[in-house]
Amino acid sequence: MDMQIGIDVELEDELVSALVTCGREGHRVAQAHHNDPGSNGFTFGTDRYQRSTQLAVEVLSDEGFRVVRRGAGLVARRGDLELQFAVARGTDLTDPANFDADSSPARRKAGASNATQLAFDGMPQREAASIVHVVWSGTPEAGQTAAHAGRLVTGAGERLDWAVLVRFDDPAAGSHDESSRAPEVPSYTDQPEPALHLLPKSDIARSDEA
């Protein structure tokens, strides 16, 4: 069964699986370069976006999408469906600290277009495409932690919200190698008491106490 994103958008299972793999591979390559001189969080995010989307170009073309670059961003169009791509730090895409939906003019334009689409859903001869964002989440330490697809819309106060958001990787299968996971640190109360090794008091110390 293909993946549904709302009532009018459907992605083939083969495409969904391939996009998860593209994101994971792009993330892995970006991790390998993260310790290069001059690297930081910004260069890591840019690197994994470009690596992942470049890997996705051939996959999307094979599935009948017309693929173009708008500036640094990848856009794939097939019929009345448009895919755009993004990366995030955490899996909660409603948290601006992980994924700030309002952070670019392209996302705001997508939100306005989708809001119009959904307001007149079901009407024939729609001119605009349904715009779906594919978002790969992860950090240098944890690897790729999730993959989502959703439709941004302009909400109250001109802020962008998710009209629909679905996770399309398999959390149970794990999306990264054990070696790339950050080690678990026990809480303060779970940590054992430190061993104390005290040397016997010197003769001078004992005489001072006396």
Side-chain angles (χ1 to χ4, degrees), residues 35-184:
N35 291 324
D36 292 349
S39 296
N40 55 33
F42 177 79
T43 60
F44 173 75
T46 302
D47 192 12
R48 70 183 174 116
Y49 176 88
Q50 294 299 332
R51 303 276 185 182
S52 300
T53 54
Q54 190 59 42
L55 289 169
V57 167
E58 183 176 354
V59 170
L60 293 163
S61 297
D62 289 344
E63 292 293 333
F65 285 86
R66 182 172 58 88
V67 184
V68 297
R69 290 274 178 184
R70 291 181 189 164
L74 183 72
V75 177
R77 186 79 178 258
R78 184 181 67 185
D80 60 357
L81 172 63
E82 182 174 300
L83 296 182
Q84 298 185 17
F85 299 84
V87 294
R89 287 183 285 274
T91 60
D92 181 3
L93 301 187
T94 63
D95 183 354
N98 296 326
F99 181 74
D100 188 357
D102 297 328
S103 62
S104 75
R107 291 178 192 169
R108 298 199 65 82
K109 186 175 179 179
S113 177
N114 278 335
T116 302
Q117 286 282 303
L118 294 171
F120 298 99
D121 188 40
M123 293 185 66
Q125 298 180 346
R126 294 179 302 174
E127 295 182 1
S130 300
I131 301 175
V132 171
H133 275 83
V134 173
V135 186
W136 294 294
S137 297
T139 64
E141 300 79 19
Q144 180 168 298
T145 52
H148 290 84
R151 296 180 66 181
L152 288 168
V153 293
T154 304
E158 297 301 306
R159 175 142 190 97
L160 296 183
D161 299 314
W162 292 103
V164 58
L165 182 65
V166 295
R167 182 169 179 172
F168 64 86
D169 64 329
D170 183 2
S175 57
H176 47 82
D177 297 333
E178 291 289 337
S179 59
S180 67
R181 293 183 180 175
E184 293 186 3

